[in-house]
Amino acid sequence: MRLPEFLTELSPLRETLAALEQGESAMADAVAEKNAQVSVASADGGLALWEQDYGLPVREGASPEDRRAAVLAAMAGGRTLTPAFLEELCVTLGGAARGQVEEDFPNWHVTAFAVGRGGFPEDTAPLERAAERLKPAHLTVEVLPGAALEAPHRAALTGGVMIEIWG
């Protein structure tokens, strides 16, 4: 409700409205902070509650990223670590634009490529920890960051290898 200007300029009413605006702003900030704890991706103080809900040890001193990765891996629960699920984890935990999985059945080895668009993903450590936790004991899972580089129309990307040999 908007009040006419001649009313809002009166001394006791002006101060009261200013105090109400400050209170409303403080309450909106507090609500936004509480709402941020509802999502694992934005929770910080609420991570202890998420860890307790999933039966994980509460690690107050650990980095929030590690704690979030553990909660997200626990949320995945008893899902089998399939190639599709590992590709999904590359995106959700590895910070990649897409995931690609190569399997080497005779050697019980899986390579997961966390591919970022335009550059490498920033941190694949949460993905590595989740893959280590979810994988079967007989399987080796290797996580490699990668980058998908795109060139503008009618341009070419070239690359090369340079090696220095010291004798």
Side-chain angles (χ1 to χ4, degrees), residues 9 17 28 67 74 84 103 109 111 117 144 157 164 166:
E9 293 302 318
L17 290 174
R67 294 173 70 192
E103 298 174 297
H109 184 80
T111 305
R117 178 167 290 137
L144 296 176
L157 291 173
E164 291 184 19
W166 296 87

Side-chain angles (χ1 to χ4, degrees), residues 70-155:
V71 169
L72 289 172
M75 288 173 89
R79 288 177 63 183
T80 304
L81 190 63
T82 62
F85 182 44
L86 191 53
E87 288 174 359
E88 181 184 327
L89 288 176
C90 286
V91 175
T92 56
L93 294 180
R98 67 180 170 89
Q100 183 178 338
V101 175
E102 291 181 3
E103 298 174 297
D104 181 11
F105 288 110
N107 296 317
W108 300 99
H109 184 80
V110 173
T111 305
F113 297 97
V115 182
R117 178 167 290 137
F120 291 97
E122 289 185 22
D123 186 20
T124 58
L127 171 62
E128 293 170 10
R129 283 189 291 279
E132 186 64 30
R133 182 173 176 203
L134 295 172
K135 73 175 184 67
H138 68 281
L139 193 64
T140 303
V141 178
E142 182 180 14
V143 175
L144 296 176
L149 303 175
E150 299 174 1
H153 187 63
R154 295 186 188 154

Side-chain angles (χ1 to χ4, degrees), residues 22-35:
Q22 289 177 348
E24 181 184 5
S25 175
M27 190 164 92
D29 292 343
V31 167
E33 175 62 30
K34 285 289 185 188
N35 286 343

